Amino acid sequence: MRIYYLFFMATLLVPFSGYSEVVSFNDKNWTFSGEITKKVTYAGQDALYISEGSAVLKNAIFEDGIIEVDLIFPDDQRGFSGITWRMQEDDSYEHFYIRPHLSKQSDASQYTPVFHGDTGWQLYFGPQYSVALEFKYNTWMHLKIVVAGDQAEIYLDSEKPVLYINDLKADLPAGGIGISSTFAPAYFANFSYEKIDNPPLKGSPEPTPKLPENLITNINVSDVIPDNIKSPSEYNGQWTRINMETNGAFNISRFRQRSANHNTVLVKMTISSEYDTTRKFSYGYSDNAVAYINNTPLAGGTNVYQSRDYRYLGTIGLFDDIYLPLKKGKNEIYFAISEEFGGWGFMGKFENMDGLTLE
């Protein structure tokens, strides 16, 4: 109790300085979940073994500061192990994890926001969200995350950040912190955190990629509907207007929460045309889509992980084209977008907007 009292007094007397909190996995404030999460001794350390689960420190309300942990991967099995922070009751949080099976590859690591339990790595990828790292197996590595407002940087056995995240996408307030691993085992030791208001960052962001012209910047999204009801004519609920994110896509999970057999929304765009025309529309989605114009289905497809190639990740991009037969006046364009895992998103652009207005 005295330690927590001194920590409380320190935050009152020195509001902008941190206090390193090393937390044993025997601490009663840990909440363990998953079938295989247990305390062990491994490689000379008191550790937590996780192969399919998580550990959340329920009394740590963390917004800015430093989170550190040592971890070991016994081998290069396929897995996803890392740190979560700013965790909310609706299962939204920020997440950074390592893929031990992809050492030296460009996607060896991953930052992603998580909304309502839906991770978004298929929408957030590339050098702003991941970096190639070389992993040591059966040897302790030190992982550190420094969080400052809307930015963060990642260290792995390094004095300089290996990844600078210029825009934390979840936009969450202070929340819980924890560790997790799925599919393959990892051992964690020496977990600590330090609350610091706006800690200094050493890194610099990657250049922001230039977005394509004529991207759709806002859409209307339906409520979540049953997966077997996708036709626009069957929907009579409410619509919500949402805006494009800085990467050119719409993250549907930010606004909608899935449940059993309810993994689909309708995306609606109303296009006014000055004349009859056929116009090329390029679009991307995750994970499945059916396109309609004025309630008539035109095309469908899937962008699920490994659906196009055994190594295909299902990341979102303007990979598909459709030629829309637009009539003079108003035209209602719909896409039924269904999610499986990895990111629930949509994006689109017209080849040109001559004579067209998006309402």
Side-chain angles (χ1 to χ4, degrees):
M1 289 298 293
R2 181 171 175 76
I3 293 174
Y4 288 104
Y5 172 76
L6 290 173
F7 170 68
F8 174 72
M9 292 302 295
T11 59
L12 288 179
L13 296 173
V14 191
F16 296 105
S17 66
Y19 182 93
S20 181
E21 181 88 3
V22 178
V23 188
S24 166
F25 290 117
N26 292 315
D27 191 293
K28 65 181 180 180
N29 288 301
W30 284 106
T31 298
F32 303 125
S33 64
E35 295 182 2
I36 311 177
T37 300
K38 59 184 179 180
K39 289 172 282 187
V40 298
T41 299
Y42 189 82
Q45 298 279 4
D46 292 331
L48 187 70
Y49 172 88
I50 308 176
S51 67
E52 190 72 39
S54 66
V56 176
L57 194 58
K58 59 186 178 183
N59 68 326
I61 306 303
F62 179 92
E63 184 170 7
D64 287 4
I66 301 172
I67 308 170
E68 301 182 71
V69 71
D70 295 326
L71 72 166
I72 273 185
F73 301 119
D75 50 39
D76 61 352
Q77 290 185 61
R78 179 175 178 268
F80 310 89
S81 306
I83 294 174
T84 57
W85 69 98
R86 295 181 181 171
M87 304 174 71
Q88 307 296 305
E89 291 185 358
D90 67 353
D91 205 17
S92 298
Y93 51 90
E94 305 282 13
H95 193 193
F96 175 82
Y97 58 88
I98 290 170
R99 300 176 173 109
H101 56 297
L102 294 176
S103 181
K104 302 181 183 181
Q105 302 299 312
S106 61
D107 52 351
S109 61
Q110 178 74 54
Y111 156 71
T112 182
V114 177
F115 297 102
H116 306 116
D118 274 340
T119 185
W121 61 270
Q122 290 177 324
L123 310 183
Y124 307 101
F125 55 91
Q128 294 151 319
Y129 310 103
S130 60
V131 64
L133 297 172
E134 182 175 1
F135 306 130
K136 297 175 289 187
Y137 301 105
N138 216 29
T139 300
W140 288 109
M141 297 182 291
H142 187 71
L143 175 63
K144 179 172 75 172
I145 298 179
V146 182
V147 182
D150 202 31
Q151 300 172 319
E153 54 189 19
I154 311 297
Y155 297 76
L156 184 69
D157 284 343
S158 61
E159 294 295 325
K160 296 181 179 180
V162 296
L163 177 64
Y164 186 98
I165 305 164
N166 193 43
D167 182 12
L168 292 172
K169 294 295 184 180
D171 299 324
L172 297 171
I177 53 178
I179 52 178
S180 64
S181 189
T182 56
F183 294 134
Y187 295 85
F188 298 86
N190 301 315
F191 182 93
S192 68
Y193 71 96
E194 186 176 357
K195 296 180 182 180
I196 308 173
D197 289 340
N198 294 313
L201 301 179
K202 298 180 180 179
S204 57
E206 292 284 331
T208 302
K210 184 179 179 181
L211 296 177
E213 295 182 358
N214 299 322
L215 279 172
I216 298 299
T217 59
N218 54 74
I219 56 174
N220 292 290
V221 176
S222 73
D223 297 329
V224 180
I225 60 176
D227 297 330
N228 61 349
I229 301 177
K230 297 182 179 179
S231 173
S233 61
E234 298 180 65
Y235 180 72
N236 58 5
Q238 300 296 312
W239 296 91
T240 301
R241 191 90 158 175
I242 67 174
N243 294 321
M244 180 187 76
E245 301 201 1
T246 55
N247 63 352
F250 302 91
N251 187 336
I252 296 168
S253 290
R254 188 186 293 274
F255 306 94
R256 297 291 183 263
Q257 184 171 3
R258 299 190 296 135
S259 59
N261 302 315
H262 288 69
N263 304 279
T264 303
V265 296
L266 296 171
V267 168
K268 180 174 73 171
M269 298 177 290
T270 301
I271 304 292
S272 288
S273 178
E274 296 177 3
Y275 43 81
D276 291 351
T277 182
T278 298
R279 201 63 58 92
K280 179 182 176 181
F281 183 75
S282 301
Y283 62 102
Y285 56 93
S286 182
D287 284 309
N288 301 288
V290 179
Y292 300 81
I293 185 168
N294 300 322
N295 290 313
T296 300
L298 293 180
T302 185
N303 195 47
V304 176
Y305 172 73
Q306 293 188 340
S307 60
R308 304 185 185 198
D309 180 85
Y310 78 98
R311 185 67 173 88
Y312 182 66
L313 298 178
T315 51
I316 198 169
L318 299 170
F319 305 142
D320 296 330
D321 299 325
I322 190 171
Y323 290 82
L324 297 172
L326 302 175
K327 302 296 184 182
K328 182 179 179 180
K330 289 187 177 182
N331 298 265
E332 290 189 335
I333 314 298
Y334 297 89
F335 287 84
I337 307 296
S338 299
E339 165 67 346
E340 294 192 19
F341 85 104
W344 196 5
F346 177 79
M347 65 187 307
K349 66 177 288 291
F350 280 94
E351 187 174 32
N352 68 76
M353 292 292 292
D354 296 343
L356 303 182
T357 303
L358 177 62
E359 297 184 5

